[in-house]
Structures are given as C-alpha cells and as structure tokens.
C-alpha cells in the first residue's frame, strides 16, 4: 500500500512540473525586399545612405537582433532592438545580406529568419555586382547518395539586377581551406560531378558578369554515401 501511495505521489510531481519554455519563433522580413535594389534608402552623402529595415513580430520574443553583412568585405553590423524596425547608415554601391534573430529573456534559444539580399544603390553609372549565388542542392551539412554512375548533381540560383551574368565557377574540395576550381565558365545553374563515396565535400559558387564583377557564395558541405 505504501509503495502504491509513493508511486501515486511521484506521478503527481512529474505531472505537475513546470511547462516547457517556448522557443522564439522566426520573424518574417519585410524590407528591404529580397534580391532587389534598395530604392527607399535616404542618401546621406555621396558615399553613404540610411537604410530602414523592417520585420514582423515573432511569437515568444521580446527583442530582436538585426544582422547585416557586406557581402564584399564580409563585415557584419549587429543592432539590438525591441521594435520591429531599425535604421542603419551603410556604404552605397554595395550588395548586402541581412536577417533577424528573435530572442527571449526566458531562454537562450534563438529564432532565425530567412536570409535576404539587397543592393544599395550608389553611382548610377556603375553596374551592380551579382548577388551571392544561393546554394540549393545538396543542402548544407546533409548526406547524399551517389547515383548508379557515382555522381551527384549540384544546383544553385544566381541573380543580378543588371541581368548580365555570363557564367559561374564551381569550387570543390575535401577541406574548407583548400577548395580548387572544379568547373569554370558554367552557363547553367547546375553541375553533375563524379565523386568518391563516404567522403565529405565542401563547395562554393563564384558568379561573374559581363563587367568583370564577381561574387562568391557561402561555402556548403555534404557527405556522400555508397
């Protein structure tokens, strides 16, 4: 009888524990629009413009961290805010990426939004630099199976406001610090590669346009199986 009573008490204790703390949900980005020029920026001088970033409220969040990256220099700017907007002065004539982290004082979990890209207009006589290619397949840090010929198809998406992309270079390697040019001058957004099984690969796409502008994508990795 005592054992049954003790078991009943333990069940009550376990069943009446605190509710789990919900994690912050990702916010939805509003502006600057993705893969577009930032026409709403306010020029400060010949070299800088004030850009207003906007996003939606996220569930289970009290504060937000805006992360902006100059995709040429890779320099990052971070701003914390309890509002749904933030204005930042940025160098003009440069492509940027940005996203927002949703945060809560109740948990260390973070809700990360999608990553968007925009070009901040500068000298109108200059051509724009291609946006960083978005690597689509294989997804980052995944495992893929080789086909019957021992091959894997890599796919990506390229964009340029001037619509003058003329090619892509594909870099590949088994070490992130030693990527080598695998294929160059690709006119399509995919490549079929013969690869070794049970091997980890890193890959990157360089996009270039008719004005000799270029941009390098993020580096993704994937693991092959037999």
């Amino acid at each position: 009888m005592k054992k049954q009573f003790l078991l009943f008490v333990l069940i009550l204790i376990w069943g009446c524990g605190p509710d789990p703390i919900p994690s912050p949900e990702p916010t939805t980005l509003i502006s600057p629009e993705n893969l577009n020029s930032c026409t709403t920026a306010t020029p400060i001088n010949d070299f800088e413009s004030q850009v207003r970033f906007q996003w939606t409220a996220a569930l289970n969040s009290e504060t937000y961290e805006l992360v902006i990256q100059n995709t040429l220099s890779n320099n990052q700017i971070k701003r914390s805010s309890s509002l749904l907007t933030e204005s930042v002065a940025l160098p003009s004539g440069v492509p940027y990426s940005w996203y927002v982290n949703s945060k809560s004082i109740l948990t260390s979990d973070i809700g990360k939004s999608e990553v968007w890209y925009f070009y901040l207009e500068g000298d109108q006589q200059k051509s724009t630099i291609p946006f960083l290619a978005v690597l689509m397949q294989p997804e980052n840090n995944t495992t893929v199976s080789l086909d019957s010929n021992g091959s894997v198809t890599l796919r990506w998406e390229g964009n340029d406001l001037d619509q003058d992309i003329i090619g892509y270079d594909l870099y590949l390697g088994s070490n992130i610090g030693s990527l080598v040019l695998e294929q160059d001058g690709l006119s399509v957004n995919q490549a079929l590669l013969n690869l070794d099984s049970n091997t980890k690969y890193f890959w990157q796409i360089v996009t270039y346009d008719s004005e000799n502008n270029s941009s390098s994508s993020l580096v993704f990795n994937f693991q092959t199986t037999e």
Side-chain angles (χ1 to χ4, degrees), residues 79-96:
R79 295 283 189 274
S80 296
S81 175
S82 58
L83 304 177
L84 304 178
T85 182
E86 184 76 16
S87 292
V88 182
L90 298 172
S92 304
V94 176
Y96 292 92

Side-chain angles (χ1 to χ4, degrees), residues 4-24:
Q4 291 178 338
F5 178 75
L6 179 59
L7 179 61
F8 177 73
V9 171
L10 290 175
I11 292 174
L12 283 178
I13 293 175
W14 289 334
C16 297
D19 293 333
I21 298 174
S23 299

